[in-house]
Amino acid sequence: MGLEQMKTDNCVYIKREEGVLLVAIYVDDMIIAAEEENTLICFKESMKKLFEINDLGALNYCLGIRVQRGVDGSISLDQERYIEELLEKYEMKESKPISTPMDPNYKVTKISPIDACSPLLEKNIGPKITFKKSTKELYGYVDADWGGNLMDRKSHSGFVFYLAGGPIAWESKKQQTVSLSSTESEYIALCEAGKEAVHIRMLLDELGFGEILEGPTVLRTDNQGARQLTRNPVYHARTKHIDIKWHYIRDIYNEGLVEVVQTPTQENVADVFTKSLTKTYELIKEAFGDTALSRSRTFEWFSRFLKGREKINDDQHTGRPRSLRCEENKLKIKELIKSNRIISIKDLSSETGLSVGLCHQIVTKDLDMIRTSSKFAPRILTEEQKEVRMDVCKNMVEMTRTDSEWMQKIITGDETWVYQYDPETKRQSSQ
């Protein structure tokens, strides 16, 4: 069929006749992409002649990832269903959501991955990765901690690369050796990111996107020492012991494949791959003191700004009243009660979307209604219960005719009888 196996990814095949055709294969799953629809149709017809295949149409799900297309040509990826299945499998559906992977100042030890990640998964069911047409070239963020693992004192490297407005590759990995300084750990992280950058550049070039690779790929780091060590490889007693393999970053820098630039720590997106998100909150707390936002609200807004939000104005809520205890909600609850006299407060809350406490306030204080005993107003009556109730009511009407004051002696009752107090005998009887 004229397909060629790509050198940079053996699971991807490409054909450049009559428009580009890409075929990605994973075991027995196949994703097909083509510039021309006719190319796509012809390829599927050729495959049907050779193999028994199931054509599932446009790509929606693959390997637990949901794919959605926007009207503006954007493509979004998420794992919402996979996360829900994972939480259900490990019985963590009721876990309390958190905004960050780790608590403030947390240091890595041996812990259960699912216990550590399930609250974060619960919090992040909704977010998606979205790709849009963009003129920005490939770029990445790099970061590392220093001696973050308390068991062996090794550091952690982290990087993320962006293209078309979204992340396309990322990694969080413990380093192989113990670093003697933060500069050394950041230098090793730069080398790891540099290897990934070279691979992505080779992949894009083989796919035919060489036009976005005209200049070097920018690697953004917040460590000045690691940046200088890459650009100016002078002899220094504090770096002479660094293994030769980590100097690969110097070679690709000299070849013009990558460019290492300085970026503020607050803007380094890769920071989340190596440590907990506490620095931003600490800076805000220092600047605003007691008037600063709470930690959870700070992390929430931090996430919003990373996703491209530029303003701090409140979101618009059309039709939302200043107070939920308004005439509109009072009238809504009143109509619900009129239509169903035995409706409960919880049912009112479910129907209106208001809290149980607010519904109770409106019923008792605004509408001046009191609760009726469920004994007298059960939700469901059998035919036998209805007949018994009718007999009791008839007896009560008859007793009212013979003794107009007997109701004053009633203590309580249910659907079949009532308690009555006899002042003369001082005893309680039933009727």
Side-chain angles (χ1 to χ4, degrees), residues 98 100-103 106-120 148-151 156 174:
I98 59 175
T100 56
M102 295 178 289
D103 293 330
Y106 178 81
K107 297 296 183 181
V108 176
T109 56
K110 292 184 178 180
I111 59 174
S112 169
I114 189 62
D115 290 340
C117 296
S118 58
L120 179 68
N149 191 302
L150 298 181
M151 305 298 295
H156 299 85
K174 188 169 73 171

Side-chain angles (χ1 to χ4, degrees), residues 9-164:
D9 193 330
N10 294 332
C11 292
V12 180
Y13 295 79
I14 188 170
K15 180 180 180 181
R16 293 187 172 88
E17 298 176 4
E18 299 178 358
V20 176
L21 173 69
L22 292 174
V23 180
I25 300 176
Y26 182 81
V27 190
D28 59 350
D29 293 325
M30 182 183 298
I31 300 175
I32 309 169
E35 289 183 326
E36 301 293 338
E37 186 176 0
N38 290 335
T39 305
L40 188 66
I41 295 174
C42 292
F43 174 78
K44 290 195 290 186
E45 292 299 325
S46 300
M47 289 293 295
K48 289 179 181 179
K49 294 178 181 179
L50 299 175
F51 307 99
E52 182 179 348
I53 64 174
N54 293 324
D55 187 358
L56 302 180
L59 179 62
N60 292 316
Y61 279 95
C62 184
L63 302 178
I65 300 176
R66 179 171 62 176
V67 181
Q68 295 178 304
R69 296 166 182 80
V71 294
D72 58 349
S74 62
I75 298 177
S76 298
L77 309 178
D78 70 77
Q79 291 183 288
E80 181 174 335
R81 188 170 72 177
Y82 175 74
I83 292 174
E84 291 176 346
E85 292 175 354
L86 189 64
L87 292 172
E88 185 175 354
K89 176 181 178 181
Y90 290 96
E91 299 180 354
M92 300 297 289
K93 286 285 289 184
E94 304 301 325
S95 59
K96 186 177 180 181
I98 59 175
S99 301
T100 56
M102 295 178 289
D103 293 330
N105 302 319
Y106 178 81
K107 297 296 183 181
V108 176
T109 56
K110 292 184 178 180
I111 59 174
S112 169
I114 189 62
D115 290 340
C117 296
S118 58
L120 179 68
L121 294 176
E122 184 74 19
K123 177 73 176 180
N124 291 280
I125 289 181
K128 305 176 182 179
I129 296 177
T130 302
F131 300 99
K132 298 181 180 180
K133 292 182 179 180
S134 173
T135 57
K136 289 186 177 181
E137 298 180 353
L138 174 70
Y139 64 95
Y141 292 91
V142 189
D143 194 35
D145 65 1
W146 181 34
N149 191 302
L150 298 181
M151 305 298 295
D152 53 17
R153 303 308 298 183
K154 292 181 180 179
S155 306
H156 299 85
S157 302
F159 62 76
V160 57
F161 285 91
Y162 283 81
L163 186 66

Side-chain angles (χ1 to χ4, degrees), residues 9 50 99 113 149 222 275 279 308 332 386 398 407 430:
D9 193 330
L50 299 175
S99 301
N149 191 302
D222 55 11
K275 59 184 73 71
K279 294 183 178 180
K332 187 184 300 183
K386 291 179 181 179
E398 186 64 28
M407 291 287 287
S430 64

